[in-house]
Amino acid sequence: MEGVEQYDVPLRLVNRYLPGEVAYAPLASATDNIRFIDQMLRGSPNYRRFALYMQTLAAALYNARPDIWSTDWVDATTAETAGTESSYGELMFNNLIIETACFYEVPECLAEAERRLGVWVGRGPSAAFAPDERLSTENLIQTKSLVLCYGLRDGKPAYWQFMKELLVLPGTITSSKLILLRGMACSRDESHLQEY
């Protein structure tokens, strides 16, 4: 059919290329384009097959990095890290893999996001946005947003209630409220979403 692109060739290339990618920029470009295909196929009879295909690829990426959640950000300008790739770049790379794996519902990724959200909630409202002694991924905006979104997605009512309390807690700054609201917007529970 003229003017209609067949996607089997690009998807086979993605199958060969994606699991071995080790750099942020090419992976970000690939996942952006995959999300476009995802949006185009959503609601079509082929979407579930595509989502399962992507889940397999995302699981391979995710499971190839057992320490994916433990990347700490270190200023790349310090003497000990000067001239090496920034650990911030590694954090962004890992977060992109986490985002893709959780989006395509890799069970291990979703379970870890919910577990981390439980730990964060367990600290209590006053410690929710307080930094630890060292700058860990649990306190970085990029990772916290992922934990909130995917931890709340099918989340427990207690987690939802905790987020509501944080929103009205005196002293919660606007930027933190935005992070909370974006995370809460990931919920699949319509009754929760109708509250906001």
Side-chain angles (χ1 to χ4, degrees):
M1 197 174 190
E2 194 174 320
V4 176
E5 184 64 41
Q6 298 295 316
Y7 283 99
D8 61 326
V9 173
L11 289 175
R12 276 187 276 154
L13 286 172
V14 166
N15 190 41
R16 284 192 205 140
Y17 151 79
L18 205 60
E21 185 52 63
V22 295
Y24 174 78
L27 183 63
S29 178
T31 56
D32 281 348
N33 288 298
I34 288 167
R35 289 285 180 100
F36 175 75
I37 295 169
D38 182 280
Q39 289 174 345
M40 299 302 291
L41 289 175
R42 202 167 282 262
S44 78
N46 293 321
Y47 180 73
R48 185 69 190 142
R49 201 166 126 206
F50 172 77
L52 289 172
Y53 170 76
M54 288 309 305
Q55 184 182 55
T56 302
L57 290 177
L61 269 170
Y62 181 83
N63 292 323
R65 298 178 75 90
D67 60 344
I68 196 162
W69 290 89
S70 64
T71 305
D72 290 336
W73 180 68
V74 178
D75 185 353
T77 60
T78 61
E80 64 214 33
T81 59
T84 64
E85 186 175 336
S86 166
S87 61
Y88 184 75
E90 185 178 347
L91 172 71
M92 297 307 295
F93 180 75
N94 285 348
N95 280 347
L96 182 58
I97 293 172
I98 291 168
E99 168 71 25
T100 303
C102 284
F103 181 84
Y104 286 108
E105 300 183 348
V106 173
E108 300 88 349
C109 186
L110 293 174
E112 183 62 16
E114 188 170 334
R115 186 195 72 74
R116 286 177 175 263
L117 181 59
V119 169
W120 193 58
V121 168
R123 290 183 184 161
S126 62
F129 286 104
D132 287 344
E133 277 185 25
R134 63 190 189 106
L135 189 59
S136 70
T137 55
E138 288 187 68
N139 289 308
L140 290 172
I141 299 297
Q142 300 89 339
T143 305
K144 188 168 282 183
S145 296
L146 293 172
V147 169
L148 283 170
C149 179
Y150 292 106
L152 284 171
R153 192 176 190 175
D154 298 313
K156 299 175 179 170
Y159 293 173
W160 184 264
Q161 185 60 39
F162 179 78
M163 297 306 141
K164 284 175 38 180
E165 290 171 17
L166 281 181
L167 279 174
V168 297
L169 185 71
T172 302
I173 60 173
T174 303
S175 61
S176 295
K177 288 181 181 185
L178 288 172
I179 294 167
L180 290 170
L181 287 170
R182 284 188 189 119
M184 293 168 81
C186 293
S187 176
R188 291 181 174 172
D189 187 327
E190 285 184 36
S191 65
H192 287 162
L193 296 174
Q194 289 173 354
E195 292 179 40
Y196 294 90

